[in-house]
Amino acid sequence: MEKRQLPAHTLETWEWVSPSLGCAKRASVLVPRTCTSAGNEVPVLFLLHGFGGSRTTWLTGTRLTEHLAELDLLVVLPESGRRWFINDDRGFRYEDYLLDELVPFVDARYAVHVRPGARGIGGFSMGGAAALMQALRHPEVFPVAVSHAGAFEAPSRVGDPYAEQRWNRDMAIPSTEAHERVWGSPGSPVRHRYDVSALLGEGRFAERLSVYADVGSEDYPRIIEMNLRTARKLTASGIETEFFERPGGHDLEFLDRALPFSLKFAERRLKRS
């Protein structure tokens, strides 16, 4: 375990060989200084990065630790590179890694600090969509989900709807080939398993599930439209949902400006769970 002291947190990074993935994986944990007080229990928030990112994206690309300074949240930063936190078409079992390894590890290692049952999940773009999918599939594990510019309709994507924007080297959205390495071809079992509309239709979510979502007003039109559609579907399903369209594009600048809102939402909702 590597440990580094930050102004308001201790950053602890753990590594182990994952049985689910068959390789070594690392995850970082931001432990707030309030956890040094005996008997103080705080909620946990898992944050999933966007396509091609890592656990360090949150620390180097946003002011996450500053935004967390006045909040009581223990934050877990896993990583998957260009893979989603799902059990994908090529056999990468990131959902199993999350549910069967990472969540139990955090519960056990930080048991003295963690408030039982107060666990949320969130993310940006790829990570924001995966967060909602996991909350809908496992509301008993993640009763709170937060998403920034979530790519919610990835399971129904066909071809490359972002082809006209490929000139932008900073584009953080996968090509058709990269997308189908995760999701398989249209109509695959993986696509159906994580389809947000299908999950809402199953009614597996708990009544206490709470969702926060936002999107940048200068984001890709497809991303804006799918966020609006998803917010309407969540509300129509009776899920407590807060949705906002804020200034910004599909980038870390937008994420950084939006984080204070989602983090406060997560803390409030998790403290009442």
Side-chain angles (χ1 to χ4, degrees), residues 8-9 30-35 40 42-43 45 64-75 259-268 271:
H9 299 81
L30 285 165
V31 185
R33 62 186 169 201
T34 53
C35 283
N40 186 42
V42 300
L45 180 64
L64 175 63
T65 56
E66 292 180 35
H67 300 321
L68 286 169
E70 303 303 319
L71 302 178
D72 266 344
L73 283 174
L74 186 145
V75 174
L259 270 174
F261 302 100
S262 64
L263 294 173
K264 289 176 183 177
F265 174 93
E267 183 193 44
R268 288 196 306 269
K271 283 191 171 181

Side-chain angles (χ1 to χ4, degrees), residues 232-249:
R232 287 195 293 266
K233 290 176 183 177
L234 289 166
T235 301
S237 297
I239 294 176
E240 179 186 38
T241 305
E242 291 190 13
F243 175 75
F244 303 92
E245 189 171 341
R246 305 186 184 282

Side-chain angles (χ1 to χ4, degrees), residues 138-168:
H138 307 284
E140 73 286 355
V141 180
F142 301 114
V144 173
V146 300
S147 170
H148 300 284
F152 301 118
E153 295 178 4
S156 61
R157 172 180 158 177
V158 177
D160 188 2
Y162 307 96
E164 293 182 0
Q165 288 86 33
R166 289 288 165 200
W167 57 268
N168 184 353

